[in-house]
């Protein structure tokens, strides 16, 4: 089986590379943006024509949430047009598309976990363009899995965990927002789930489980509580202060609450999801 992975230098792309050796039966084609620019339809077509993948995992995205507010065209080009291009070539080559989306498609006004049926209503450009990407895929090619995830961290690339660890090495005290609630997601756990979806789909080609799925680790916390655990697990002593969102203004408005309901992915794919703290500890170990 051939799986083509876009955006292979990003944190999810690298996490997939990290677990790839566990699946000797799969030929992974890891494509960095320098080789496969998803905004270039002809380049996508050429790659698919050459490798004829059965599955494509699109981890490529414009992920700079705040910068997107001043670069909306670029965010739209990558997150919406890029996703549409991949859906088009997937349709041409009968390739199943796994696309990653985000909790930031929601406005955060709900008080209970978001299900796949809840109305998306993003508060910022990044979430808006990711929503456009989802819609473009849904309108173009039915053989898709759109996985919405949240607060992704890993040893690779840029993420909140690495930022906290860096800041702790530079400062004695730190203030972190404690009124935005979500769930951290270990990128290696997410990568493993993506492969599980592919293997299940490949074994049951007539099952037709296509559609949107939520996935994060279990549980919920604020960014402050996430930072607290990162420091506790790494035995870092720092004066950590909780602050409200108003004390840390950012160009993009973020959802106050974006916990994802994961019943659907657990039921359909029989996935056991680890608690975020256990997963964070294992990641550190
Ligand atoms: N990080 C999070 O907290 C989070 C939360 C929810 C959802 N997600 C979603 O999860 C997915 C993976 O995120 P991530 O954290 O792994 O992102 P990331 O670390 O920012 O990586 C994004 C990758 O996309 C590539 N890319 C950008 N423009 C491209 C283009 N035109 N063509 C091909 N590749 C391109 C980048 O390559 P270059 O560096 O070479 O440009 C990079 O390798 C994304 O869909 C993201 O929206 C992430």
């Amino acid at each position: 089986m051939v799986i083509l992975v876009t955006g292979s230098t990003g944190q999810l792309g690298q996490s997939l590379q990290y677990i790839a050796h566990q699946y000797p039966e799969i030929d992974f084609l890891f494509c960095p943006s320098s080789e496969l620019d998803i905004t270039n339809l002809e380049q996508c077509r050429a790659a698919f024509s050459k490798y004829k993948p059965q599955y494509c995992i699109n981890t490529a995205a414009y992920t700079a949430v705040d910068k997107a507010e001043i670069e909306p065209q670029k965010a739209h080009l990558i997150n919406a047009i890029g996703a549409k291009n991949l859906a088009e070539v997937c349709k041409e080559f009968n390739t199943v598309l796994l696309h990653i989306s985000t909790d930031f498609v929601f406005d955060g006004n709900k008080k209970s976990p978001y299900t796949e049926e809840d109305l998306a209503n993003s508060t910022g450009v990044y979430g808006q363009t990711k929503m456009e990407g989802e819609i473009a895929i849904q309108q173009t090619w039915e053989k898709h899995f759109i996985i919405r995830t949240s607060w992704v961290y890993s040893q690779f690339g840029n993420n909140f965990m690495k930022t906290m660890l860096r800041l702790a090495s530079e400062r004695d005290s730190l203030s972190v927002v404690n009124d935005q609630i979500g769930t951290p997601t270990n990128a290696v756990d997410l990568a493993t789930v993506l492969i599980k979806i592919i293997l299940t789909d490949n074994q049951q080609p007539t099952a037709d489980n296509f559609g949107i799925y939520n996935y994060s680790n279990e549980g919920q916390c604020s960014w402050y509580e996430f930072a607290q655990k990162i420091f506790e697990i790494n035995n870092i002593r720092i004066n950590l202060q909780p602050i409200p969102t108003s004390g840390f203004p950012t160009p993009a408005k973020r959802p106050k609450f974006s916990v994802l309901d994961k019943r659907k992915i657990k039921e359909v794919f029989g996935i056991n999801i680890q608690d975020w703290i256990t997963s964070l500890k294992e990641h550190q170990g």
Side-chain angles (χ1 to χ4, degrees), residues 66-86:
D66 288 318
K67 210 170 163 200
E69 298 295 317
I70 51 168
E71 288 188 337
Q73 287 93 350
K74 189 170 177 194
H76 173 79
L77 185 63
I78 298 169
N79 291 343
I81 306 294
K84 185 175 185 347
N85 286 343
L86 285 174

Side-chain angles (χ1 to χ4, degrees), residues 34-54:
S34 53
E35 280 171 28
L36 176 53
D37 175 356
I38 63 166
T39 68
N40 183 330
L41 181 60
E42 280 317 310
Q43 230 179 66
C44 295
R45 192 171 277 131
F48 275 60
S49 175
K50 186 170 174 191
Y51 300 118
K52 307 215 166 29
Q54 280 87 52

Side-chain angles (χ1 to χ4, degrees), residues 7 9-12 33 36-38 60-61 63 100-101 126 130 149 152:
T9 58
Q11 56 167 337
L12 181 57
S33 63
L36 176 53
D37 175 356
I38 63 166
T63 56
I100 318 305
S101 192
Y126 166 71
K130 291 295 290 183
T149 189
V152 181

Side-chain angles (χ1 to χ4, degrees), residues 48 55-56 84-98 141 143:
F48 275 60
Y55 292 87
C56 169
K84 185 175 185 347
N85 286 343
L86 285 174
E88 277 181 17
V89 289
C90 280
K91 186 176 180 178
E92 282 174 35
F93 290 86
N94 193 29
T95 302
V96 176
L97 176 60
L98 282 82
W141 177 226
K143 290 190 182 177

Side-chain angles (χ1 to χ4, degrees), residues 208-282:
D208 191 359
N209 291 318
F210 301 122
I212 298 184
Y213 291 85
N214 292 337
Y215 178 80
S216 68
N217 281 114
E218 292 284 22
Q220 62 179 63
C221 62
S222 68
W223 290 109
Y224 168 76
E225 290 165 326
F226 188 13
Q228 249 183 343
K229 273 291 164 214
I230 292 167
F231 295 140
E232 186 187 306
I233 290 167
N234 287 281
N235 296 316
I236 292 171
R237 283 167 164 263
I238 186 165
N239 177 12
L240 184 66
Q241 294 298 325
I243 51 162
T245 299
S246 57
F248 188 71
T250 52
K253 189 168 178 247
R254 287 156 166 80
K256 269 187 112 54
F257 179 89
S258 63
V259 177
L260 300 170
D261 182 317
K262 294 160 292 276
R263 276 175 298 178
K264 184 178 172 189
I265 200 164
K266 287 192 276 192
E267 280 167 24
V268 174
F269 294 103
I271 285 163
N272 235 330
I273 306 181
Q274 286 217 110
D275 176 80
W276 73 268
I277 297 173
T278 309
S279 213
L280 183 63
K281 281 182 186 157
E282 283 184 5

